[in-house]
Amino acid sequence: MKKTTLFLVLFMSAVSVIYATPLRKSETSNNVPKPIAERVSFKIKGTGSKNIMVTIGIGSQPGSGACCSGVSPNTTASFTGNVGEVVYDGKTRRVITKIYSGLNGTTIDLAQYY
């Protein structure tokens, strides 16, 4: 009887210690809010006299994210993206530029790329 009682006391103590320790990190990590990505607003100017219509996509890599908005040769269009994403040509999937903080408020001239 003493052995059974001793075994039950040890077993219950072990179970209490296991549940008292913070082993469940996955449950607590879900409660932490994800950081908000930095948004950057910029403009893209058409190719001008080169007369090339360009479709613009913005995403984590070419072919992903928001595609495609056309920029006519003689227009300037406004875009917004997250820092770290890329601006790409929607037809050729060629990267035009990567979005960074310093791009905020600037204008990308497509005549320099075509």
Side-chain angles (χ1 to χ4, degrees):
M1 186 71 170
K2 286 183 179 181
K3 288 182 181 180
T4 307
T5 306
L6 181 61
F7 175 76
L8 286 174
V9 169
L10 287 175
F11 178 74
M12 295 303 284
S13 298
V15 169
S16 325
V17 168
I18 289 172
Y19 281 106
T21 57
L23 295 176
R24 299 180 184 174
K25 289 184 178 179
S26 62
E27 290 177 8
T28 58
S29 65
N30 291 339
N31 295 334
V32 177
K34 293 182 181 179
I36 298 172
E38 182 182 351
R39 304 283 290 169
V40 175
S41 297
F42 54 93
K43 294 181 180 181
I44 298 179
K45 181 181 174 184
T47 58
S49 62
K50 295 180 181 178
N51 206 26
I52 301 170
M53 171 76 169
V54 181
T55 54
I56 299 294
I58 298 176
S60 59
Q61 61 185 4
S64 69
C67 181
C68 294
S69 298
V71 178
S72 299
N74 296 312
T75 62
T76 301
S78 297
F79 291 89
T80 303
N82 295 323
V83 170
E85 292 180 332
V86 293
V87 177
Y88 63 92
D89 183 321
K91 290 181 185 173
T92 64
R93 307 270 170 112
R94 186 178 86 178
V95 173
I96 296 170
T97 189
K98 188 170 184 175
I99 299 174
Y100 57 97
S101 300
L103 192 61
N104 196 34
T106 64
T107 300
I108 298 170
D109 187 0
L110 291 178
Q112 296 175 353
Y113 297 90
Y114 291 89

